[in-house]
Amino acid sequence: MSTGPTAPANPRYAFVFVCQAGEIEVKALLLAASLKNTLRCQYELIAAVPSPASIWGELSPDTRQQLDAFGVRIVPIENPIDPDYRIGNKLACIDVPTRAGKIVFLDSDILCLRDFGDPASLRVPFAAKPADLRTFAAAAEAWVPLYAAAGVALPRLHLPTTVSGEFGLPYFNSGVIFVDAGLEFGRHWIDCANTIRVTPEMREQRHWLDQISLPIAAHRLGLAYSALDERYNFPAHLEPLPDPVPFFCHYHWPRIVRHEPVLLGAVRALAAAHPAIARVMAREPEWADVLDRALPMPTVQPARQVVVADSATSQILITGIPDSGAKELLQALERSGCRTIDEPAGLAAALASGHVTPHPEAPDAGMVALRCELAFLSPPGAIRHVLPHARAVACVRDPFRAIAAWKTRPHAAMTASIASTMESVRPWLNADPFAQLARIAGLEDAAEQRATWWWWLAQRLLERIDELTIVRFGEESAASAEQARALVAGTHALPTSEVPVPATRASVLDECDRQAIRAICMQAAADLGVADC
């Protein structure tokens, strides 16, 4: 029987996490405190406490008192897999009773660092971040017997991992899961896990059972889903904390907190505000050390080199992902009095080869804007070598609108562009991204090919992020001459500039397109600053 305060009358979210005696007790208290401190939505908090106590231990009075003070409802659960598989406790959390519309399962070793708002990526029945790395085989062959055992057809889409960028069948980190209530998702997840764990293929993969069975359950139910970006489940054990901080930080171990100033400061502030948490922390040696350790000096990152317009700048080169505003920006520059040349003959070839060639159309004096949309796919240093006095601007737009524009034209135009790109980058591109490009060229599903092509282009832009001024395009109206002049004549770069362009009709995209974009493009869109549009 559950205990604790009643939930709000109509909570939007139910945040559920495991709370059991020992170190997880500390993590659960810190998680609950961070949620209370940060969230602005209508929600309830639920602590799932494993039973029986003879196996999992008893929560301390300090923990129960603090959970009650936070308004956390305690719900007993039983491990539905095997008590020896301690991770299995989380599978019992999804179907806890709640009046909320959406259940959010959180691993206990997570801190909520800022509110996540109301993003479009969560308006689907299921959402989770892809795994950081392919800890389970990427090849579809490894998944075939597992999906077959569960009676589920193989998914059609392949997704990239968020850290290593390896493509494979859907494979999520199970630390943060958003799922619509009322689907009995937990029951299906448990059934899939129990079904596949006895297959020979799982003998050496038992530790990853929760993550391997998760996408199988989602596909059994036929759920539309979003592959969330790292803001929703940031791997602090693999990457330094970014600025701005993520919504949910997955720190895993106290030692990560000790060495990350933002996390250490947040944990110590929560412990100072809630003495019961500090007392529970003091009983666990690694967490006691977090309390006692002095705050580390923050690492000073070298300032980003910003390219500015100066007296030597005679050209502005406009590049970027196709249909992301480059043409509109060129037109706006023309309205501002700048001479413009659209896709000048020979420039793309010169950039691809890195050879300087005379440009007969370049004026002797004054500013000229050149649009060469895929110039960012040139070899490293080629732009500076071929156009030494140019300022390079890269246009980006959210993938839904860019891909909608692609879909208004024959698909053959995009496949021709992919083939042409393969030829131009073959002499210099590293083996892995070239292999990815070759795979994209061979994809038969048009929606998957479009989304994966956008993802690949975004990766190449991100590799050049310090060489370019990124201009992010919205949809409200045409780019203004004043905004364009600011890009050219200003004494400062505009790394987060946003210039609106006319909207592309959303009805162009069907559900296959939208699902492919949600599955493949979200991490890259977040990295470029155009997510949740």
Side-chain angles (χ1 to χ4, degrees), residues 104-146:
V104 187
F105 170 77
L106 298 172
D107 272 354
S108 306
D109 52 355
I110 282 175
L111 289 172
C112 182
L113 299 180
R114 62 185 175 107
D115 187 65
F116 57 85
D118 182 27
S121 54
L122 297 181
R123 297 170 199 162
V124 289
F126 175 83
K129 189 191 77 67
D132 312 314
L133 312 166
R134 281 279 161 188
T135 52
F136 184 67
E141 292 76 15
W143 292 86
V144 168
L146 306 180

Side-chain angles (χ1 to χ4, degrees), residues 279-342:
R279 290 194 295 271
V280 177
M281 290 177 69
R283 297 175 197 134
E284 296 291 328
E286 284 194 89
W287 283 108
D289 189 44
V290 170
L291 286 176
D292 296 337
R293 182 170 294 245
L295 281 168
M297 292 295 292
T299 302
V300 178
Q301 299 292 335
R304 177 184 171 196
Q305 184 177 1
V306 176
V307 181
V308 297
D310 55 28
S311 57
T313 301
S314 60
Q315 297 167 326
I316 180 167
L317 174 65
I318 304 173
T319 180
I321 295 177
D323 290 287
S324 294
K327 182 171 289 188
E328 288 81 4
L329 180 57
L330 190 76
Q331 293 168 349
L333 286 168
E334 187 173 38
R335 292 194 299 272
S336 75
C338 181
R339 184 180 175 190
T340 61
I341 308 173
D342 195 8

Side-chain angles (χ1 to χ4, degrees), residues 502-524:
T504 303
R505 288 184 298 129
S507 59
V508 171
L509 300 177
D510 59 25
E511 181 52 30
C512 289
D513 295 310
R514 288 189 288 270
Q515 181 58 79
I517 295 167
R518 289 195 305 263
I520 295 167
C521 301
M522 293 298 92
Q523 182 62 54

Side-chain angles (χ1 to χ4, degrees), residues 348-433:
L351 289 170
S353 65
H355 297 147
V356 180
T357 57
H359 202 292
E361 295 181 274
D364 295 330
M367 179 70 68
V368 59
L370 313 169
R371 184 177 81 103
C372 186
E373 204 157 38
L374 293 181
F376 68 94
L377 296 180
S378 57
I383 293 175
R384 180 58 58 198
H385 184 62
V386 175
L387 299 170
H389 304 302
R391 184 181 186 200
V393 170
C395 300
V396 295
R397 191 183 192 193
D398 86 86
F400 290 94
R401 296 188 181 102
I403 291 173
W406 297 356
K407 197 177 178 184
T408 62
R409 293 188 288 275
H411 188 66
M414 191 188 75
T415 57
S417 181
I418 296 172
S420 173
T421 298
M422 287 184 67
E423 288 304 309
S424 65
V425 302
R426 187 188 300 271
W428 64 268
L429 192 66
N430 291 336
D432 286 347

